[in-house]
């Protein structure tokens, strides 16, 4: 177990799975930014993977049901127009989702994105579990995500793990999962990617509110 935790902590220093100090949104802001995707209910597992070693560095889960959020345990993502409460990112519009994946994909890491269609009931259970999780300790991103998934009906076969790639491999075995990879070759500095995408989202928001 100690070896696992050390590996996760090392990954956290470069990929954003660390203790989070993101500002906490109030209920009014969350409601005002809430977004519901018009498509079917889905769960989308994000796994950030090193382009150099193939090891996993961060895990998160987008839940699309009565609203669309990203459970980003111990994550680093911040954007002015994306409210955060504990480790749940709210208001995940298509633009916000693009900003999320783009911020993590860079020269040193790519995003493996795995999506499965679920029932509205399954999505709602996942959504409530995410909201109830509270802040997750650094390096426990995959542990928290796998624990959440295991509690969703139909995903009981998921084994709780600390390893992002192992969770991704388990998720891939579920019938109906569609997998894609998202890559960018920009600067390795995560903070630069976060700042650039925050600026783009602010610009889009300014145009939409004119």
């Amino acid at each position: 177990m100690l070896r696992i935790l050390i590996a996760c902590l090392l990954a956290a220093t470069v990929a954003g799975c660390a203790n989070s100090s993101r500002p906490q949104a109030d209920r009014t802001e969350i409601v005002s930014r809430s977004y519901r995707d018009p498509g079917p209910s889905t769960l989308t597992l994000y796994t950030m993977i090193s382009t150099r070693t193939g090891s996993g560095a961060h895990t998160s889960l987008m839940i699309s049901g009565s609203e669309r959020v990203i459970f980003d345990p111990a994550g680093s993502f911040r954007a002015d127009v994306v409210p955060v409460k504990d480790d749940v990112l709210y208001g995940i519009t298509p633009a916000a989702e693009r900003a999320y994946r783009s911020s993590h994909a860079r020269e040193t890491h790519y995003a493996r994105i795995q999506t499965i269609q679920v029932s509205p009931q399954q999505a709602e259970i996942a959504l409530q579990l995410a909201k109830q999780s509270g802040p997750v300790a650094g390096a426990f991103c995959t542990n928290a995500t796998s624990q959440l998934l295991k509690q969703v009906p139909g995903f009981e076969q998921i084994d709780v793990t600390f390893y992002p790639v192992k969770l991704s491999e388990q998720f891939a075995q579920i019938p109906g999962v569609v997998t894609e990879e998202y890559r960018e070759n920009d600067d390795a500095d995560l903070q630069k990617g976060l700042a650039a995408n925050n600026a783009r989202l602010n610009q889009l928001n300014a145009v939409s509110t004119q």
Side-chain angles (χ1 to χ4, degrees):
M1 180 62 72
L2 179 61
R3 180 172 59 85
I4 294 173
L5 289 174
I6 291 172
C8 286
L9 286 167
L10 288 173
T13 63
V14 296
C17 185
N19 287 320
S20 175
S21 58
R22 294 179 286 200
Q24 298 292 291
D26 59 30
R27 181 62 183 168
T28 300
E29 184 181 6
I30 290 171
V31 170
S32 69
R33 291 288 183 184
S34 179
Y35 172 78
R36 179 171 186 168
D37 187 80
S41 299
T42 56
L43 298 179
T44 300
L45 183 69
Y46 294 89
T47 308
M48 315 312 172
I49 300 174
S50 170
T51 57
R52 297 168 181 171
T53 67
S55 61
H58 185 54
T59 299
S60 57
L61 183 71
M62 184 166 71
I63 304 162
S64 186
S66 60
E67 61 180 316
R68 191 160 75 174
V69 307
I70 293 178
F71 178 53
D72 190 37
S76 298
F77 184 81
R78 296 186 185 185
D80 296 331
V81 300
V82 178
V84 182
K85 180 64 175 176
D86 293 329
D87 279 327
V88 179
L89 311 178
Y90 292 86
I92 305 301
T93 63
E97 191 279 333
R98 286 193 298 271
Y100 183 83
R101 66 167 69 188
S102 176
S103 294
H104 288 89
R106 53 202 191 277
E107 180 186 5
T108 56
H109 293 82
Y110 70 93
R112 178 182 292 165
I113 304 170
Q114 298 167 284
T115 301
I116 184 169
Q117 185 172 329
V118 296
S119 70
Q121 293 78 15
Q122 288 172 302
E124 193 61 29
I125 290 170
L127 182 61
Q128 294 308 314
L129 287 169
K131 292 179 178 181
Q132 295 164 11
S133 291
V136 175
F140 278 74
C141 53
T142 307
N143 179 271
T145 304
S146 57
Q147 286 196 52
L148 185 157
L149 282 168
K150 191 175 183 66
Q151 297 177 72
V152 177
F155 294 82
E156 297 91 346
Q157 71 271 40
I158 294 290
D159 290 328
V160 176
T161 179
F162 278 91
Y163 288 110
V165 172
K166 286 189 175 180
L167 178 57
S168 173
E169 290 171 348
Q170 290 187 68
F171 201 76
Q173 298 304 309
I174 301 172
V177 169
V178 176
T179 301
E180 63 173 308
E181 291 183 358
Y182 183 80
R183 297 175 183 260
E184 292 185 3
N185 292 314
D186 51 356
D187 197 288
D189 189 340
L190 174 64
Q191 297 305 316
K192 289 183 179 179
L194 291 170
N197 281 291
N198 184 46
R200 292 189 190 102
L201 286 175
N202 284 339
Q203 185 177 29
L204 288 172
N205 185 65
V207 170
S208 67
T209 56
Q210 285 179 353

